[in-house]
Amino acid sequence: MAFLGAEIGKLGFGMMRLPKNDDVIDIEQVKAMVDAFMDAGFTYIDTAWAYPGSEVAVREALVKRYPRERFQLATKLAAWINCQTRDDAIGQFEKSLGQLGTDVVDFYLLHNLGETRTGYFDRFEMWDFVQEQKKKGRIKHVGASFHCTADELDAILRAHPELEFVQLQINYADWHSPSIQSGACYDVARKHNKPIVVMEPVKGGTLATPPEPVAAILRKTNPQASLASWAIRYTASLEGIITVLSGMSNLDQMQDNLSFMKNFTPLSEAEQATIREAQEALSRIPIIPCTTCEYCAKVCPNDIGISGSFTAMNLLTLYKAKEFAANQESWLVEKHGKKKAGECTQCGACEEVCPQHIAIREELRKVSEQFA
């Protein structure tokens, strides 16, 4: 069955983690990466106003160097960042066009809907604005990126059936996750007949170096395949996928991705069985058994970010990626208005209501040691 973007190559270039020299984007290396990507026949480029320097890099490496009809350009509107008025939010759109050096965006996304962020798009009437720009031909397709629960995604798609596609965090590690809910969000999008752009297929790079029990399973099946290839091919094999964004940071990563995606074949049944075995191996690694039910949050007198702290700690346990886990702790705790684990007063109210019987106070102490 045909769907929006069905003809687009299954590998997309996510321009969030571009190569840098002394914290400055390396435009020459980006150009080489873009050239390799385009030469392989791929065409979907994803950026955002909120990715510092990314839109300008896209202009220099892509827009100025290739005919506009040869690629699809996606960028995003984050009305919840530094916007006090509707004009501020509209200004983001106009600035994106200027930074990209283009008159039209092929895929325009309302960025990171969910929780309190959706309210900014409502208050500033951005739903109407993007449809107006679509009628003017400045936007071809309107969608949304989303990182929250399946129930919330369902509510948004019910309220806004005009959304043409969604961008979701999907990977084999998060498929059954009670916090990320990759599989559940995918099912909601399919229920609403929305095609999907996949983000974080390699989970911020962690699935390029998964826990050793997982890596051993993947290597046993195919010693020649890169570990990242399993993650990207897994998501690209799902039905209804427009493209899978890989946030490549250097030319070697680009070449690796192209080696298995240029002539993409979906995972075979035997390979699907290998992924299921890998998922089972992940599930056996001891982590904090938090299901993010948030019962603890309802009774905590000090508003500690308990579930967010545990999510970050579990990431550290599984992938040994301290910087990645610390960034998640910052986002899920402080940037959601919660207090850090070290501010727990050890009252124990949370443990009285936890259905998983987690020793929350002790686990928060461990979190505090790791993420001071």
Side-chain angles (χ1 to χ4, degrees):
M1 179 179 173
F3 56 88
L4 171 65
E7 77 288 352
I8 294 173
K10 287 295 185 285
L11 180 66
F13 191 173
M15 294 274 191
M16 183 181 182
R17 301 179 177 95
L18 295 175
K20 293 182 178 181
N21 287 323
D22 297 325
D23 210 34
V24 176
I25 293 175
D26 183 347
I27 294 296
E28 293 308 310
Q29 187 171 177
V30 175
K31 288 179 180 178
M33 295 169 72
V34 166
D35 290 346
F37 182 78
M38 298 290 286
D39 288 348
F42 294 106
T43 57
Y44 192 101
I45 305 288
D46 172 89
T47 182
W49 170 89
Y51 304 162
S54 178
E55 289 182 329
V56 172
V58 171
R59 182 187 69 212
E60 297 301 313
L62 176 75
V63 177
K64 285 185 175 182
R65 301 172 64 241
Y66 286 89
R68 185 62 182 85
E69 65 274 11
R70 279 199 58 190
F71 56 87
Q72 297 87 31
L73 198 54
T75 194
K76 310 176 189 77
L77 170 68
W80 43 277
I81 299 179
N82 298 332
C83 291
Q84 303 299 319
T85 67
R86 187 171 193 261
D87 286 343
D88 292 338
I90 291 172
Q92 271 193 31
F93 173 73
E94 299 296 343
K95 186 169 184 178
S96 285
L97 291 183
Q99 292 185 150
L100 289 166
T102 186
D103 295 326
V104 60
V105 176
D106 301 283
F107 290 80
Y108 196 61
L109 297 91
L110 305 184
H111 193 182
N112 200 5
L113 294 181
E115 300 175 321
T116 59
R117 297 179 297 278
T118 305
Y120 287 88
F121 297 94
D122 296 339
R123 288 195 295 278
F124 299 150
E125 299 178 331
M126 299 314 294
W127 304 97
D128 293 336
F129 172 76
V130 291
Q131 293 303 320
E132 291 165 3
Q133 299 309 304
K134 183 180 176 183
K135 289 178 181 177
K136 292 178 179 179
R138 304 177 82 195
I139 296 172
K140 290 186 179 179
H141 304 290
V142 175
S145 64
F146 183 82
H147 286 272
C148 293
T149 67
D151 286 346
E152 193 167 2
L153 177 61
D154 187 57
I156 288 171
L157 293 179
R158 287 179 185 278
H160 296 284
E162 72 273 16
L163 288 173
E164 298 172 80
F165 68 101
V166 290
Q167 184 164 308
L168 303 176
Q169 178 172 327
I170 299 177
N171 56 69
Y172 69 78
D174 290 329
W175 190 257
H176 301 293
S177 166
S179 55
I180 306 299
Q181 301 187 9
S182 282
C185 286
Y186 171 81
D187 289 342
V188 167
R190 295 292 291 161
K191 181 181 75 172
H192 288 274
N193 296 313
K194 304 299 182 185
I196 300 162
V197 173
V198 174
M199 58 182 162
E200 301 293 355
V202 194
K203 196 172 174 65
T206 57
L207 295 182
T209 55
E212 186 51 37
V214 174
I217 290 168
L218 301 179
R219 291 194 190 103
K220 181 180 178 180
T221 298
N222 188 344
Q224 283 73 48
S226 71
L227 298 175
S229 72
W230 284 95
I232 292 173
R233 288 184 61 225
Y234 170 79
T235 55
S237 298
L238 296 168
E239 295 182 358
I241 301 300
I242 296 174
T243 197
V244 177
L245 300 176
S246 181
M248 296 166 278
S249 299
N250 55 58
L251 190 55
D252 287 343
Q253 290 177 3
M254 174 65 75
Q255 295 292 1
D256 177 57
N257 283 191
L258 295 177
S259 72
F260 56 83
M261 290 302 288
K262 186 173 181 180
N263 298 304
F264 168 70
T265 57
L267 293 179
S268 66
E269 180 50 45
E271 289 173 319
Q272 293 280 7
T274 295
I275 288 290
R276 290 192 291 272
E277 187 180 354
Q279 290 171 321
E280 290 169 5
L282 267 176
S283 71
R284 289 193 293 270
I285 297 174
I287 59 174
I288 304 168
C290 175
T291 64
T292 66
C293 68
E294 298 295 348
Y295 290 166
C296 57
K298 294 179 174 64
V299 300
C300 178
N302 211 28
D303 203 21
I304 303 296
I306 299 172
S307 66
S309 296
F310 289 172
T311 295
M313 191 67 176
N314 286 341
L315 286 170
L316 182 60
T317 299
L318 287 168
Y319 304 107
K320 315 302 181 188
K322 184 65 176 283
E323 183 178 357
F324 179 74
N327 287 338
Q328 289 298 300
E329 190 262 354
S330 176
W331 167 250
L332 294 171
V333 179
E334 294 166 283
K335 291 181 180 175
H336 275 71
K338 300 288 186 177
K339 292 182 180 178
K340 289 174 69 69
E343 298 182 67
C344 171
T345 61
Q346 299 286 303
C347 72
C350 53
E351 294 180 7
E352 295 177 6
V353 299
C354 177
Q356 305 304 317
H357 308 293
I358 298 170
I360 295 176
R361 288 173 289 182
E362 175 61 17
E363 295 296 349
L364 285 175
R365 184 189 63 76
K366 296 175 183 176
V367 170
S368 180
E369 290 175 355
Q370 292 294 335
F371 308 109

